[in-house]
Structure formats: C-alpha cells, structure tokens
Amino acid sequence: NAGVTQTPKFRILKIGQSMTLQCTQDMNHNYMYWYRQDPGMGLKLIYYSVGAGITDKGEVPNGYNVSRSTTEDFPLRLELAAPSQTSVYFCASSSGLAEGSTDTQYFGPGTRLTVL
Amino acid sequence: AQSVTQLGSHVSVSEGALVLLRCNYSSSVPPYLFWYVQYPNQGLQLLLKYTSAATLVKGINGFEAEFKKSETSFHLTKPSAHMSDAAEYFCAVSYSGNTPLVFGKGTRLSVIA
C-alpha cells in the first residue's frame, strides 16, 4: 500500500514551458486535492475533485488545469509556466466517507518545481 | 471567509521543555480542526483532529490540543520536547462535510539540545 505517490520529485522548467505533475493514490479515495506550498504562506488549495469526472477550483487555480478520469489519478497541468509558479506542490486524498469534515487527508511527498 | 491564524512563524524550545504552538480560527459555526506536521522534505502527516467528541484531543508522538470555543483556539502542546519534534506544524480548519481544508501559515519548531 503506497498511499499517495507523486512524480516527479523535482523539476526545473523554463518560462513558457508546460508540464504535468502526476498524482496517484491506491486507497480507493473519492476526494483528491492539489495544494501549493510557498515559504511562510502555508498551503493553498489549487483544485480538488470529489470523484472521477468532477473537479472544482480552489483558492489559487489560475495557470493550472486538472482532470480526473479515474479514481486513482489526479494530474495537475501547468500551461505556460511562470516564475510565480515556483513552489512545492502537494497532492492529497481522503475517503470522503467520514461524517462531517472529520475525514483525514493523506499527503504525497511533494514535487518541487522551479520556473526560470 | 474561513481563516486560521498561527501565532509565531518560528518557535524555539529546549529539549525537555514544554511545547506550545498557538492556533486561532475564525468561525461563526463549530469547526473541525486539525494539526498536521511536516518533517523536512516530506509531505504532511496528521497529528490529531478535533471532531466535537471531546475538547481535549490526544494525538501521535505525545501531542495534544484543547478546543476552546470561547477563545476560538486550538493550541497544540507537548509536555516535554524531543529533538525529533523539530518540524513545521500546520493548523487547519474545515466547516462542512468534506470541504477542503484551510491551512494556517505554519509554525517551525526548533528543539535545542
């Protein structure tokens, strides 16, 4: 049981390039999330999904796109990378079955992205 | 809007001393509250969560937190710090069924030998 896995671990992009950050979970969780973490700013939600085929914007969605074609995978697409997208990106998942908001989110190890 | 305030971006304690990390939330309804820990170059791991069953919540690694509605606080404590507790700690809040978490900015804990 690997939990939440993310690839790549590190990536350097040039301004204007595109890339996809991969996220896979093997816990059969319904809910998946993408956050970015910037120094001293905590985590900010980019997009989330409550199930295959359903996605919604978070606090900072501009410059990103997502899709959810399967329960397991939730890739994050960066189009036209900009220096402001330099950050550490975390994917998380939760079962979506717990009562209220008591559900625990499980986090992947992160992808460190630098845009130069 | 939901928000979480963590007082102190960096806290330093001596090994064996009390750890106190502060978290206040804004809310007009009862929230669900979480503390996560992040060790260097790793993802976040749940320490504990408040789900309204009890105001004093015990978590992993000897940490606990007390929900105080009158003070809108959920401070994290540990009686005796260990070197392995050095990490970044995040308080987070959610207000309704399975909505995404709102995180505080984090507090980095240093433990001095």
Side-chain angles (χ1 to χ4, degrees), chain A residues 31 33 35 37 40-43 45 48 90 94 96-110 112, chain B residues 32 34 36 38 41-46 49-51 88 90 94-106:
Chain A
Y31 285 61
Y33 313 83
Y35 296 91
Q37 182 182 28
M41 299 302 294
L43 280 76
L45 182 69
Y48 68 104
F90 287 100
S94 62
L97 298 177
E99 181 180 339
S101 291
T102 63
D103 214 7
T104 297
Q105 290 188 21
Y106 295 88
F107 284 78
R112 188 175 295 273
Chain B
Y32 297 94
F34 304 77
Y36 280 84
Q38 183 182 31
N41 299 313
Q42 294 187 25
L44 278 71
Q45 178 184 0
L46 182 71
K49 60 184 179 183
Y50 167 71
T51 61
E88 186 143 24
F90 293 93
S94 181
Y95 290 96
S96 61
N98 284 298
T99 54
L101 297 174
V102 174
F103 284 86
K105 293 184 177 180

Side-chain angles (χ1 to χ4, degrees), chain A residues 32-96:
Chain A
M32 296 187 74
Y33 313 83
W34 274 106
Y35 296 91
R36 60 177 286 171
Q37 182 182 28
D38 300 300
M41 299 302 294
L43 280 76
K44 294 190 183 298
L45 182 69
I46 305 171
Y47 271 96
Y48 68 104
S49 169
V50 302
I54 306 170
T55 62
D56 207 350
K57 295 178 180 179
E59 183 181 357
V60 289
N62 291 344
Y64 307 94
N65 280 301
V66 294
S67 59
R68 183 98 181 268
S69 57
T70 66
T71 299
E72 295 79 18
D73 300 306
F74 190 40
L76 177 71
R77 177 81 177 163
L78 278 71
E79 305 283 2
L80 299 175
S84 61
Q85 293 178 305
T86 294
S87 188
V88 181
Y89 292 84
F90 287 100
C91 180
S93 72
S94 62
S95 68

Side-chain angles (χ1 to χ4, degrees), chain B residues 11-43:
Chain B
V11 171
S12 186
V13 300
S14 298
E15 192 174 19
L18 171 71
V19 175
L20 171 60
L21 304 181
R22 299 177 187 274
C23 173
N24 289 87
Y25 63 92
S26 65
S27 173
S28 58
V29 297
Y32 297 94
L33 293 155
F34 304 77
W35 276 100
Y36 280 84
V37 60
Q38 183 182 31
Y39 298 104
N41 299 313
Q42 294 187 25

Side-chain angles (χ1 to χ4, degrees), chain B residues 38-95:
Chain B
Q38 183 182 31
Y39 298 104
N41 299 313
Q42 294 187 25
L44 278 71
Q45 178 184 0
L46 182 71
L47 267 180
L48 50 83
K49 60 184 179 183
Y50 167 71
T51 61
S52 76
T55 56
L56 183 62
V57 182
K58 294 187 184 300
I60 61 172
N61 301 337
F63 284 93
E64 61 182 36
E66 186 172 8
F67 172 69
K68 292 187 176 180
K69 184 178 179 181
S70 61
E71 299 177 6
T72 60
S73 69
F74 191 57
H75 301 331
L76 182 70
T77 61
K78 182 174 180 178
S80 177
H82 192 273
M83 297 298 288
S84 61
D85 295 326
E88 186 143 24
Y89 292 80
F90 293 93
C91 183
V93 65
S94 181
Y95 290 96

